Amino acid sequence: MALPPSVLIVDDEPDNFHVIEFLLYQEGYDLSFARSSTEALDYLSVKSPDVILLDMMMPQFDGIALCHQIKKNPLWCHLPIIMVTVLTAKEDLALCLDAGADDFISKPVNGIELRARIRSMLRMKQQYDELQALLQAREDLSNMIIHDLNNPLAGVLFSCELLKLSPLQPKQLQKVEDILRLSKRMVSLVNSLLIIAKVQTDEFVLEYEQVDLSEMGHTVVTDFEAIVAYRQIKLLYEFPEAGRQIFVDPVILHRVIDNLLSNAIKFSPVGSQVTFRISYPPDAMVKIQVIDCGSGISEESRQRIFEKYDIGTFRKGIPQIGLGLAFCKLAVEAHGGTISIENNAPQGSIFTVVI
């Protein structure tokens, strides 16, 4: 049996609550009352109402301040708020809307108007809840598919390794190597999705170790030797002297660098260069930069390039999924760091990771 819609009434005057209770008694709502903003916040920390009726004029911590606080909290920002006010000036109503209120009603409260506005807010809340349920179902299905992809991919990798041991013609061996390389790329994408899913559900735990990033950098450069040679791109690198170690998750950070370099090489024109830098600045643990000479990224794209499935500007003939940079952002932020992008004048982009 479905629970009745819940309405939280925040007002410092108990008599006002009794008036609203009388006006709504036939609606069958679950009504709760908070006498102050502090009491309302205590209530929200325990329960989540479907609609909030919020009095604008309260002593000390008023309704506008409370509305601001509710709307900036990611756990509560979706809750519809109807501001109840004796003020009718357009400036006051604009103040309510600027604070994040979804609607307002003037005192003395009219029963027909109150019931209509609450029903409107309940429809909005129901639409939000249905959308969230749909998104969660899609996310659960995606995660299930991602998990299930690991087994067949492992079988492909194992079969390729066996084929490499067989007597093959050079062209056949090259095809096996291509399948192996692409399969490893698929495994990397699947692992990125798994990590993104874990980070978003707070299930991801970094496994910190002491790491020499100079050694890691040389390993990464070696891994990319074949692809830069094939694309006729010059890979320049600048690393600090070996010996200094920092405390990071080596597997995750290695994959961040892999993603940034892979993108730089992929979007750089034939014959250009990509620069890979690692340094230990005085104001941070480590700074990593990947600089390319590609077509660059527009200001609009830079605002959303780190979002999942965003591919920036489409490039014909270049596979773009939109997961690599989303993974990088989540992985870097999990380390307590930042990742940013800027133009590389006269052409290209500079990606900077600071931890």
Side-chain angles (χ1 to χ4, degrees), residues 63-188:
I64 294 293
L66 177 59
C67 188
H68 270 297
Q69 189 156 342
I70 292 173
K71 289 298 183 177
K72 74 179 181 181
N73 188 312
L75 297 176
W76 306 332
C77 61
H78 64 283
L79 298 177
I81 295 177
I82 301 175
M83 196 73 77
V84 183
T85 175
V86 295
L87 304 177
T88 57
K90 293 187 182 297
E91 293 80 4
D92 297 315
L93 301 182
L95 191 63
C96 294
L97 296 176
D98 287 340
D102 301 280
D103 202 352
F104 55 84
I105 188 169
S106 299
K107 292 182 179 179
V109 176
N110 177 275
I112 295 175
E113 182 183 4
L114 175 65
R115 290 188 288 271
R117 291 186 184 276
I118 289 180
R119 285 195 293 267
S120 175
M121 292 298 102
L122 286 173
R123 286 194 296 271
M124 185 171 71
K125 177 64 164 48
Q126 182 181 8
Q127 291 169 355
Y128 173 85
D129 290 342
E130 290 173 352
L131 177 59
Q132 289 302 113
L134 182 62
L135 291 173
Q136 186 60 53
R138 188 185 70 172
E139 194 74 19
D140 292 342
L141 178 61
S142 298
N143 292 339
M144 182 178 65
I145 292 172
I146 292 164
H147 278 282
D148 291 345
L149 281 173
N150 272 324
N151 288 334
L153 283 173
V156 172
L157 292 173
F158 181 69
S159 298
C160 287
E161 294 293 350
L162 289 179
L163 282 172
K164 287 173 64 177
L165 301 176
S166 306
L168 299 173
Q169 298 295 323
K171 286 187 178 180
Q172 294 174 324
L173 183 60
Q174 182 58 53
K175 291 298 182 183
V176 172
E177 292 285 0
D178 289 343
I179 295 172
L180 185 61
R181 175 175 54 82
L182 293 173
S183 298
K184 288 181 177 179
R185 175 63 178 157
M186 281 290 294
V187 170
S188 178

Side-chain angles (χ1 to χ4, degrees), residues 71-323:
K71 289 298 183 177
K72 74 179 181 181
N73 188 312
L75 297 176
W76 306 332
C77 61
H78 64 283
L79 298 177
I81 295 177
I82 301 175
M83 196 73 77
V84 183
T85 175
V86 295
L87 304 177
T88 57
K90 293 187 182 297
E91 293 80 4
D92 297 315
L93 301 182
L95 191 63
C96 294
L97 296 176
D98 287 340
D102 301 280
D103 202 352
F104 55 84
I105 188 169
S106 299
K107 292 182 179 179
V109 176
N110 177 275
I112 295 175
E113 182 183 4
L114 175 65
R115 290 188 288 271
R117 291 186 184 276
I118 289 180
R119 285 195 293 267
S120 175
M121 292 298 102
L122 286 173
R123 286 194 296 271
M124 185 171 71
K125 177 64 164 48
Q126 182 181 8
Q127 291 169 355
Y128 173 85
D129 290 342
E130 290 173 352
L131 177 59
Q132 289 302 113
L134 182 62
L135 291 173
Q136 186 60 53
R138 188 185 70 172
E139 194 74 19
D140 292 342
L141 178 61
S142 298
N143 292 339
M144 182 178 65
I145 292 172
I146 292 164
H147 278 282
D148 291 345
L149 281 173
N150 272 324
N151 288 334
L153 283 173
V156 172
L157 292 173
F158 181 69
S159 298
C160 287
E161 294 293 350
L162 289 179
L163 282 172
K164 287 173 64 177
L165 301 176
S166 306
L168 299 173
Q169 298 295 323
K171 286 187 178 180
Q172 294 174 324
L173 183 60
Q174 182 58 53
K175 291 298 182 183
V176 172
E177 292 285 0
D178 289 343
I179 295 172
L180 185 61
R181 175 175 54 82
L182 293 173
S183 298
K184 288 181 177 179
R185 175 63 178 157
M186 281 290 294
V187 170
S188 178
L189 289 172
V190 168
N191 287 336
S192 292
L193 277 169
L194 287 172
I195 292 172
I196 288 172
K198 286 183 178 180
V199 170
Q200 291 177 330
T201 57
D202 296 325
E203 295 178 3
F204 179 58
V205 178
L206 294 174
E207 297 182 4
Y208 286 92
E209 296 179 20
Q210 293 287 348
V211 180
D212 186 333
L213 282 191
S214 181
E215 292 181 1
M216 180 185 289
H218 282 97
T219 300
V220 173
V221 169
T222 301
D223 293 340
F224 279 91
E225 284 179 349
I227 186 66
V228 295
Y230 174 77
R231 295 201 31 97
Q232 301 175 40
I233 290 174
K234 187 175 183 180
L235 178 55
L236 306 178
Y237 55 91
E238 302 171 16
F239 303 149
E241 291 185 9
R244 179 170 175 176
Q245 294 188 328
I246 61 173
F247 206 49
V248 293
D249 185 317
V251 175
I252 298 301
L253 193 57
H254 192 294
R255 295 190 59 208
V256 168
I257 296 171
D258 272 354
N259 277 320
L260 294 178
L261 271 178
S262 178
N263 280 347
I265 293 167
K266 182 166 59 176
F267 291 103
S268 292
V270 173
S272 64
Q273 71 179 36
V274 171
T275 303
F276 172 29
R277 292 178 183 152
I278 298 175
S279 61
Y280 300 122
D283 57 343
M285 187 165 58
V286 64
K287 182 178 181 181
I288 301 167
Q289 286 189 307
V290 175
I291 306 168
D292 65 62
C293 299
S295 57
I297 300 174
S298 67
E299 176 64 31
E300 179 184 357
S301 294
R302 287 203 298 272
Q303 301 300 319
R304 50 182 171 79
I305 196 68
F306 295 106
E307 296 177 10
K308 190 165 58 171
Y309 304 120
D310 187 273
I311 61 172
T313 303
F314 176 74
R315 300 284 188 268
K316 186 177 181 180
I318 298 177
Q320 297 168 256
I321 298 177
L323 290 174

